Short mmCIF file of all heavy atoms in Angstrom, two decimals:
data_model
loop_
_atom_site.label_atom_id
_atom_site.label_comp_id
_atom_site.label_asym_id
_atom_site.label_seq_id
_atom_site.Cartn_x
_atom_site.Cartn_y
_atom_site.Cartn_z
N LEU A 322 -4.03 46.93 50.80
CA LEU A 322 -3.35 45.74 50.28
C LEU A 322 -2.18 45.33 51.19
O LEU A 322 -1.34 44.51 50.82
CB LEU A 322 -2.84 45.99 48.85
CG LEU A 322 -3.91 46.12 47.77
CD1 LEU A 322 -3.27 46.39 46.41
CD2 LEU A 322 -4.76 44.84 47.69
N GLY A 323 -2.14 45.93 52.38
CA GLY A 323 -1.08 45.57 53.34
C GLY A 323 0.30 45.95 52.86
O GLY A 323 1.27 45.23 53.11
N GLN A 324 0.40 47.07 52.15
CA GLN A 324 1.71 47.43 51.59
C GLN A 324 2.60 48.16 52.59
O GLN A 324 2.45 49.37 52.83
CB GLN A 324 1.52 48.28 50.32
CG GLN A 324 0.97 47.45 49.17
CD GLN A 324 0.75 48.24 47.90
OE1 GLN A 324 0.92 49.45 47.87
NE2 GLN A 324 0.37 47.53 46.84
N ASN A 325 3.51 47.42 53.20
CA ASN A 325 4.57 47.99 54.03
C ASN A 325 5.85 47.40 53.48
O ASN A 325 6.01 46.18 53.50
CB ASN A 325 4.39 47.61 55.51
CG ASN A 325 3.08 48.13 56.07
OD1 ASN A 325 2.11 47.39 56.14
ND2 ASN A 325 3.06 49.39 56.44
N PHE A 326 6.70 48.26 52.95
CA PHE A 326 7.87 47.75 52.25
C PHE A 326 9.04 47.60 53.21
O PHE A 326 9.42 48.55 53.91
CB PHE A 326 8.21 48.67 51.07
CG PHE A 326 7.05 48.81 50.11
CD1 PHE A 326 6.37 50.01 49.97
CD2 PHE A 326 6.60 47.71 49.38
CE1 PHE A 326 5.28 50.14 49.11
CE2 PHE A 326 5.52 47.81 48.51
CZ PHE A 326 4.85 49.02 48.38
N LEU A 327 9.59 46.40 53.24
CA LEU A 327 10.70 46.10 54.14
C LEU A 327 11.95 46.77 53.59
O LEU A 327 12.34 46.51 52.44
CB LEU A 327 10.88 44.58 54.22
CG LEU A 327 11.90 44.05 55.19
CD1 LEU A 327 11.67 44.61 56.60
CD2 LEU A 327 11.83 42.53 55.23
N LEU A 333 16.35 41.42 55.32
CA LEU A 333 16.01 40.72 54.07
C LEU A 333 16.92 39.51 53.86
O LEU A 333 16.46 38.41 53.52
CB LEU A 333 16.11 41.68 52.89
CG LEU A 333 14.95 42.68 52.80
CD1 LEU A 333 15.34 43.91 51.98
CD2 LEU A 333 13.72 42.01 52.19
N GLU A 350 7.14 33.46 45.87
CA GLU A 350 6.99 34.61 46.76
C GLU A 350 5.58 35.16 46.59
O GLU A 350 5.01 35.11 45.48
CB GLU A 350 8.02 35.71 46.42
CG GLU A 350 8.00 36.83 47.47
CD GLU A 350 8.75 38.10 47.05
OE1 GLU A 350 9.36 38.15 45.97
OE2 GLU A 350 8.69 39.06 47.84
N ILE A 351 5.02 35.66 47.67
CA ILE A 351 3.69 36.29 47.61
C ILE A 351 3.87 37.76 47.93
O ILE A 351 4.43 38.10 48.98
CB ILE A 351 2.74 35.61 48.62
CG1 ILE A 351 2.55 34.14 48.26
CG2 ILE A 351 1.39 36.34 48.67
CD1 ILE A 351 1.97 33.29 49.36
N GLY A 352 3.42 38.62 47.03
CA GLY A 352 3.50 40.06 47.28
C GLY A 352 4.90 40.62 47.20
O GLY A 352 5.46 41.04 48.21
N PRO A 353 5.50 40.66 46.01
CA PRO A 353 6.87 41.18 45.90
C PRO A 353 6.99 42.68 46.15
O PRO A 353 8.10 43.17 46.40
CB PRO A 353 7.26 40.85 44.46
CG PRO A 353 5.97 40.69 43.72
CD PRO A 353 4.99 40.14 44.72
N GLY A 354 5.88 43.42 46.07
CA GLY A 354 5.95 44.87 46.33
C GLY A 354 6.80 45.56 45.28
O GLY A 354 6.53 45.48 44.09
N ILE A 355 7.91 46.19 45.73
CA ILE A 355 8.81 46.84 44.77
C ILE A 355 10.02 45.94 44.48
O ILE A 355 10.94 46.35 43.77
CB ILE A 355 9.25 48.25 45.23
CG1 ILE A 355 9.96 48.17 46.59
CG2 ILE A 355 8.05 49.19 45.29
CD1 ILE A 355 10.60 49.51 47.00
N GLY A 356 10.03 44.74 45.06
CA GLY A 356 11.05 43.75 44.67
C GLY A 356 12.21 43.57 45.64
O GLY A 356 13.19 42.90 45.30
N ALA A 357 12.09 44.08 46.87
CA ALA A 357 13.23 44.03 47.80
C ALA A 357 13.60 42.59 48.17
O ALA A 357 14.78 42.19 48.08
CB ALA A 357 12.90 44.82 49.06
N LEU A 358 12.60 41.80 48.58
CA LEU A 358 12.87 40.41 48.95
C LEU A 358 13.12 39.57 47.69
O LEU A 358 13.98 38.69 47.68
CB LEU A 358 11.68 39.86 49.77
CG LEU A 358 11.79 38.43 50.27
CD1 LEU A 358 13.03 38.22 51.14
CD2 LEU A 358 10.53 38.05 51.08
N THR A 359 12.39 39.90 46.64
CA THR A 359 12.55 39.18 45.37
C THR A 359 14.00 39.24 44.89
O THR A 359 14.55 38.24 44.43
CB THR A 359 11.64 39.83 44.28
OG1 THR A 359 10.45 40.29 44.89
CG2 THR A 359 11.32 38.84 43.18
N PHE A 372 3.79 36.33 43.08
CA PHE A 372 2.42 36.75 42.79
C PHE A 372 2.17 38.13 43.38
O PHE A 372 2.28 38.32 44.60
CB PHE A 372 1.41 35.78 43.41
CG PHE A 372 1.50 34.40 42.85
CD1 PHE A 372 2.23 33.42 43.49
CD2 PHE A 372 0.87 34.09 41.66
CE1 PHE A 372 2.33 32.15 42.95
CE2 PHE A 372 0.95 32.83 41.11
CZ PHE A 372 1.68 31.85 41.76
N GLU A 373 1.83 39.09 42.52
CA GLU A 373 1.54 40.45 43.00
C GLU A 373 0.17 40.87 42.48
O GLU A 373 -0.07 40.87 41.27
CB GLU A 373 2.64 41.41 42.54
CG GLU A 373 2.39 42.87 42.90
CD GLU A 373 2.12 43.12 44.38
OE1 GLU A 373 3.01 42.89 45.20
OE2 GLU A 373 0.98 43.55 44.72
N ILE A 374 -0.71 41.26 43.38
CA ILE A 374 -2.08 41.62 43.00
C ILE A 374 -2.17 43.03 42.41
O ILE A 374 -3.06 43.33 41.61
CB ILE A 374 -3.02 41.50 44.23
CG1 ILE A 374 -4.47 41.43 43.80
CG2 ILE A 374 -2.79 42.63 45.22
CD1 ILE A 374 -5.44 41.13 44.94
N ASP A 375 -1.24 43.92 42.82
CA ASP A 375 -1.35 45.33 42.47
C ASP A 375 -0.69 45.60 41.11
O ASP A 375 0.55 45.61 41.01
CB ASP A 375 -0.68 46.17 43.57
CG ASP A 375 -0.84 47.66 43.35
OD1 ASP A 375 -1.39 48.06 42.29
OD2 ASP A 375 -0.41 48.44 44.23
N LEU A 378 2.24 47.99 40.43
CA LEU A 378 3.62 47.66 40.78
C LEU A 378 4.35 46.92 39.65
O LEU A 378 5.57 46.74 39.71
CB LEU A 378 3.64 46.81 42.06
CG LEU A 378 3.20 47.55 43.33
CD1 LEU A 378 3.14 46.60 44.52
CD2 LEU A 378 4.13 48.72 43.65
N GLU A 397 -1.59 38.21 39.92
CA GLU A 397 -2.83 37.54 40.35
C GLU A 397 -2.97 37.62 41.86
O GLU A 397 -1.99 37.78 42.59
CB GLU A 397 -2.78 36.07 39.92
CG GLU A 397 -3.25 35.86 38.50
CD GLU A 397 -3.55 34.40 38.22
OE1 GLU A 397 -4.47 33.85 38.86
OE2 GLU A 397 -2.86 33.82 37.37
N ASP A 398 -4.23 37.45 42.28
CA ASP A 398 -4.55 37.36 43.70
C ASP A 398 -4.16 35.96 44.16
O ASP A 398 -4.67 34.97 43.63
CB ASP A 398 -6.07 37.58 43.84
CG ASP A 398 -6.55 37.46 45.26
OD1 ASP A 398 -5.80 36.94 46.11
OD2 ASP A 398 -7.69 37.89 45.52
N ILE A 399 -3.28 35.87 45.13
CA ILE A 399 -2.78 34.56 45.58
C ILE A 399 -3.93 33.65 46.04
O ILE A 399 -3.85 32.43 45.91
CB ILE A 399 -1.71 34.70 46.69
CG1 ILE A 399 -1.08 33.35 47.05
CG2 ILE A 399 -2.25 35.37 47.93
CD1 ILE A 399 -0.33 32.66 45.96
N LEU A 400 -5.00 34.26 46.54
CA LEU A 400 -6.11 33.43 47.03
C LEU A 400 -6.94 32.84 45.88
O LEU A 400 -7.82 32.01 46.11
CB LEU A 400 -7.00 34.23 47.98
CG LEU A 400 -6.33 34.63 49.30
CD1 LEU A 400 -7.26 35.48 50.14
CD2 LEU A 400 -5.86 33.42 50.09
N ASN A 423 7.02 38.13 52.55
CA ASN A 423 6.57 39.10 53.54
C ASN A 423 5.08 39.27 53.24
O ASN A 423 4.72 39.97 52.30
CB ASN A 423 7.36 40.40 53.37
CG ASN A 423 6.84 41.54 54.21
OD1 ASN A 423 6.01 41.33 55.10
ND2 ASN A 423 7.31 42.75 53.92
N LEU A 424 4.26 38.57 54.00
CA LEU A 424 2.84 38.44 53.62
C LEU A 424 2.05 39.73 53.82
O LEU A 424 2.36 40.51 54.73
CB LEU A 424 2.18 37.35 54.48
CG LEU A 424 2.67 35.93 54.24
CD1 LEU A 424 2.01 34.97 55.24
CD2 LEU A 424 2.39 35.47 52.81
N PRO A 425 1.01 39.94 52.98
CA PRO A 425 0.07 41.03 53.29
C PRO A 425 -0.72 40.60 54.54
O PRO A 425 -1.36 39.56 54.56
CB PRO A 425 -0.83 41.07 52.04
CG PRO A 425 -0.59 39.80 51.29
CD PRO A 425 0.69 39.20 51.75
N TYR A 426 -0.60 41.41 55.62
CA TYR A 426 -1.07 40.96 56.94
C TYR A 426 -2.58 40.73 57.02
O TYR A 426 -3.05 39.96 57.82
CB TYR A 426 -0.63 41.94 58.03
CG TYR A 426 0.88 41.94 58.25
CD1 TYR A 426 1.48 42.78 59.16
CD2 TYR A 426 1.70 41.09 57.51
CE1 TYR A 426 2.85 42.79 59.35
CE2 TYR A 426 3.07 41.09 57.68
CZ TYR A 426 3.64 41.94 58.60
OH TYR A 426 5.00 41.94 58.78
N TYR A 427 -3.33 41.44 56.15
CA TYR A 427 -4.79 41.32 56.28
C TYR A 427 -5.30 39.95 55.84
O TYR A 427 -6.45 39.61 56.11
CB TYR A 427 -5.49 42.45 55.48
CG TYR A 427 -5.42 42.30 53.97
CD1 TYR A 427 -6.54 41.95 53.23
CD2 TYR A 427 -4.23 42.50 53.28
CE1 TYR A 427 -6.48 41.81 51.85
CE2 TYR A 427 -4.15 42.36 51.91
CZ TYR A 427 -5.28 42.03 51.20
OH TYR A 427 -5.22 41.87 49.84
N ILE A 428 -4.43 39.16 55.18
CA ILE A 428 -4.87 37.82 54.77
C ILE A 428 -3.84 36.73 55.10
O ILE A 428 -3.77 35.70 54.44
CB ILE A 428 -5.23 37.75 53.25
CG1 ILE A 428 -4.19 38.51 52.42
CG2 ILE A 428 -6.63 38.24 52.98
CD1 ILE A 428 -4.34 38.28 50.92
N MET A 449 6.85 36.29 56.79
CA MET A 449 6.75 37.35 57.80
C MET A 449 5.29 37.69 58.01
O MET A 449 4.49 37.73 57.06
CB MET A 449 7.49 38.58 57.32
CG MET A 449 7.30 39.76 58.27
SD MET A 449 8.79 40.65 58.55
CE MET A 449 9.11 41.30 56.97
N1 SAM B 693 7.70 41.87 49.54
C1 SAM B 693 7.63 43.29 49.72
C2 SAM B 693 8.53 43.70 50.87
O1 SAM B 693 8.92 42.82 51.63
O2 SAM B 693 8.85 44.88 50.99
C3 SAM B 693 6.21 43.78 49.97
C4 SAM B 693 5.46 43.12 51.09
S1 SAM B 693 3.93 43.90 51.49
C5 SAM B 693 3.85 43.52 53.23
C6 SAM B 693 2.67 42.82 50.84
C7 SAM B 693 2.56 42.76 49.33
O3 SAM B 693 1.49 41.84 49.00
C8 SAM B 693 2.17 44.05 48.65
O4 SAM B 693 3.01 44.27 47.54
C9 SAM B 693 0.72 43.85 48.19
O5 SAM B 693 0.36 44.59 47.03
C10 SAM B 693 0.71 42.36 47.93
N2 SAM B 693 -0.62 41.72 48.03
C11 SAM B 693 -1.65 42.09 48.82
N3 SAM B 693 -2.70 41.25 48.67
C12 SAM B 693 -2.31 40.31 47.76
C13 SAM B 693 -2.95 39.17 47.17
N4 SAM B 693 -4.20 38.82 47.52
N5 SAM B 693 -2.28 38.44 46.26
C14 SAM B 693 -0.99 38.79 45.90
N6 SAM B 693 -0.34 39.86 46.42
C15 SAM B 693 -0.97 40.60 47.34
#
Side-chain angles (χ1 to χ4, degrees):
L322 291 179
Q324 290 180 354
N325 299 98
F326 303 112
L327 185 53
L333 285 158
E350 188 193 357
I351 297 163
I355 59 172
L358 181 57
T359 325
F372 297 96
E373 176 54 64
I374 198 173
D375 184 355
L378 293 175
E397 275 195 63
D398 178 345
I399 186 63
L400 294 177
N423 172 12
L424 293 175
Y426 293 178
Y427 71 108
I428 43 170
M449 174 138 65

